[in-house]
Amino acid sequence: MTGTAVSAVSALVVVALALAGCSQIDALAPVGGAEIADLRYATNEVLLEQGVEILVAPVCEGAGGELHCAGETAGGEAITSTATSADASSFELRIGDRVLFAGPVQGVLDRNGTVGAR
């Protein structure tokens, strides 16, 4: 190989390694506590399971048992997910006025093989 070819291959390897790191960083959950991350994971898992088309992905906020998430379906209905226990171990997910899911956060994470933040 010529010096130019070696330089080009080296540059491609560096770019490939840099891009590989980007996808791993993009997959990280926002920092803010295990409970809120787990609620976000569980909310998204149920929405995916039920085939809900999402316009605005639910954004979660709060602390302790006072956690809630809000988003919007492609049809314009509100998505709300709220912790229903003091330790945020259970939640209720609604689309508009309809309850889509009510139950344990960990059950959803386990069912889908999702590793929570706890």
Side-chain angles (χ1 to χ4, degrees):
M1 288 179 103
T2 66
T4 304
V6 171
S7 295
V9 170
S10 297
L12 285 174
V13 169
V14 169
V15 169
L17 289 173
L19 291 176
C22 291
S23 63
Q24 292 173 350
I25 290 171
D26 290 342
L28 294 175
V31 175
E35 294 85 6
I36 199 163
D38 286 350
L39 178 62
R40 184 177 65 86
Y41 289 138
T43 297
N44 289 329
E45 292 291 348
V46 172
L47 292 170
L48 288 171
E49 285 175 354
Q50 299 296 319
V52 175
E53 293 185 34
I54 301 168
L55 177 64
V56 177
V59 175
C60 303
E61 58 187 19
E66 300 293 320
L67 302 176
H68 60 276
C69 307
E72 185 178 348
T73 68
E77 292 181 283
I79 299 170
T80 55
S81 183
T82 307
T84 57
S85 60
D87 64 355
S89 63
S90 60
F91 74 110
E92 180 177 88
L93 174 58
R94 292 178 167 266
I95 303 294
D97 293 332
R98 178 173 53 104
V99 175
L100 190 63
F101 178 85
V105 170
Q106 193 61 50
V108 173
L109 300 179
D110 291 344
R111 181 171 67 239
N112 290 289
T114 304
V115 177
R118 296 178 204 215

